[in-house]
Structures are given as C-alpha cells and as structure tokens.
Amino acid sequence: MIVLKSKREIELMKASGEIAAAALHLAGEKVKPGVSTLELDNIIKRYIVSQGAEPSFFNYGGFPGNSCISVNNVVIHGIPSKDLILKRGDIVSIDVGAFYRGFHGDTAFTFKCGDVSEEIQGLLDTTYGALEKGIEKALCGNKIGDISSAIQEYVESRNCSVVTDFVGHGVGVDLHEDPSVPNYGKAHFGPLLEAGVTIAIEPMVILGSSGDVEVLDDDWTTVSTSGEYSAHFEHTVAVTENGPVILTKV
Ligand code: MG
C-alpha cells in the first residue's frame, strides 16, 4: 500500500533528507587516498547524531554500519571497514539514510578518489544522468514504469547496464515502503504517481553489458558478477502538483 504524505509531512521529510544529504557530502569531501571507509562512516554518524537524528541504516536488518560504502566493483551494501583504505582512481558509492522527527531521508552519491579513466567517468555521468531522467518522470499522472523505463533506456544507450536484483522504493515513516521503483520496466505500466507519493529513485549501474550481481558471504556486500565497476546515485523525491521535489538536496 502506498502511503501518501501531506504537504506538512513532505516538509518534515525534507528536513530528514537534508540531514542525510549534508552527511553524505561531508563524507564525500573526505574521499581521498589513504582514508578508510570506516573513517567516512564515522563522519556520517557524527554529523547525523549532531543534528538530533539517527542513521537509518544502523542495524537495519542487522547491517553493521551507519552508511553503506561500496568501492569500485561493489555495487551496494558495502560494509564500512578500517581495513578498506581508498586509493587513487577508486570510485566510492556512499548511501546514507537519516531518521528525524518520524521520517527517513535516503540518498546516495558516487565520489571519485582522485582522477578516474574516461570510461569510469562515463559510468558516473551515465548513472547521474539516469537519476535525472528518472526524476523528470516523477510527475502526477505518470506511472512508476515511466521512471523505470526512462532510467533503463538512458543507461542501455551508453554501454552500461542496470541492476535488476535491487530496486528503488517508497520512503517515509519506514525506510522501505511501497511502491518498488525498479530501474527497468515499461512506460505507462506500474503504480500511479499522485501528489504525496515519496520515493527513493536510485539507479545502480554497472559498466558493460551485464547488470548481474552477487552477494558475498558477509550477506551484505553486493558485487558485479562481471567484476566491472559500478555507480549508484539516489535522491528521495516527492511527487507534487508542482512537479517532482528533491528532498535530499544539500
Ligand atoms: Mg534507498
């Protein structure tokens, strides 16, 4: 069941979203060679707690971190570790949720650790572009499939593949609500978008022709089966009569 949010509730979600976004970009500024992913996670936790909020992902389903930090061929759900030290050329996907005054905000961004190859820059541009294409379709009267197909078509036209095993989602009082927001699908199909629908749109994209993933023995770390690099960008978005509103802006 899709829970529609009132204008007041959307304002509250904006507050949660802004805390998550600020924590994310604070950590992003510290993405440098020699820094561990646990240090980044600690920055995120400290900021979120300093705002009177809670990290949404901490202990979610038993997740052992405050944020998910996924490097290179890790697609999502990387566990922050003191032993994972960033090096030049890495790409670092950080996914942050903040729970504040009863609502979650959920956002992700893939940062570069120094310069990356043209091919990897293409992956980042494609994934960010796919997020923008998806958000453009978050309009009253559209269907979820309009978002999904816009993302898929954009990604597949640029030598990249969408992940199908994991999807975006509704977000609100719960971190994961209805509807699912797949990064693949058909235009004009799926649940109706109306004012008050709040969703996390989050293309997860792998370089090359396969979107297949595998979950490692820790039950979290999700890697590309092909071994290719992966990127992940996410915003929490409210569908309103005035168009899509991004709730996780810095
Ligand atoms: Mg999410």
Side-chain angles (χ1 to χ4, degrees):
M1 189 189 66
I2 298 175
V3 182
L4 299 179
K5 280 76 175 182
S6 67
K7 283 184 180 152
R8 184 182 162 273
E9 288 170 326
I10 289 172
E11 281 307 307
L12 286 169
M13 285 189 64
K14 202 173 194 179
S16 318
E18 285 172 356
I19 292 170
L24 171 65
H25 289 277
L26 205 56
E29 285 169 17
K30 298 288 188 260
V31 169
K32 285 181 188 129
V35 172
S36 76
T37 58
L38 185 65
E39 286 172 72
L40 300 176
D41 189 62
N42 284 333
I43 291 166
I44 289 162
K45 180 189 178 177
R46 273 201 300 274
Y47 180 79
I48 290 175
V49 170
S50 78
Q51 300 303 302
E54 293 166 37
S56 303
F57 300 168
F58 179 71
N59 210 23
Y60 184 88
F63 183 74
N66 302 287
S67 61
C68 299
I69 306 187
S70 307
V71 179
N72 297 341
N73 63 317
V74 181
V75 181
I76 49 167
H77 300 168
I79 299 170
S81 167
K82 68 175 178 14
D83 299 322
L84 209 174
I85 310 292
L86 299 179
K87 49 190 199 318
R88 196 167 299 280
D90 284 345
I91 56 170
V92 186
S93 300
I94 307 180
D95 193 349
V96 176
F99 183 70
Y100 181 64
R101 295 190 186 167
F103 291 93
H104 293 277
D106 191 2
T107 184
F109 196 98
T110 302
F111 298 95
K112 296 185 279 188
C113 185
D115 290 335
V116 298
S117 69
E118 213 171 290
E119 193 179 41
I120 300 301
Q121 186 62 52
L123 167 70
L124 299 176
D125 294 344
T126 295
T127 312
Y128 191 78
L131 173 61
E132 291 182 316
K133 295 283 177 199
I135 292 171
E136 281 171 15
K137 298 287 181 182
L139 302 171
C140 289
N142 272 0
K143 304 274 179 69
I144 288 290
D146 293 303
I147 296 174
S148 304
S149 64
I151 291 171
Q152 183 177 23
E153 280 168 24
Y154 185 75
V155 168
E156 292 181 351
S157 70
R158 295 168 65 103
N159 185 35
C160 292
S161 301
V162 291
V163 170
T164 55
D165 283 4
F166 294 89
V167 296
H169 50 91
V171 56
V173 172
D174 291 320
L175 180 60
H176 294 108
E177 297 185 350
D178 288 337
S180 287
V181 186
N183 295 306
Y184 60 95
K186 275 190 188 167
H188 316 307
F189 281 81
L192 178 68
L193 298 173
E194 44 190 325
V197 170
T198 50
I199 47 179
I201 301 176
E202 50 175 325
M204 299 157 232
V205 175
I206 298 171
L207 198 57
S209 58
S210 170
D212 291 352
V213 297
E214 284 165 24
V215 179
L216 300 186
D217 286 344
D218 61 21
D219 289 336
W220 287 105
T221 310
T222 301
V223 300
S224 64
T225 304
S226 61
E228 295 283 6
Y229 280 25
S230 175
H232 179 206
F233 291 88
E234 174 181 27
H235 273 307
T236 298
V237 176
V239 177
T240 78
E241 272 142 19
N242 302 317
V245 177
I246 297 172
L247 303 177
T248 40
K249 276 198 175 146
V250 188

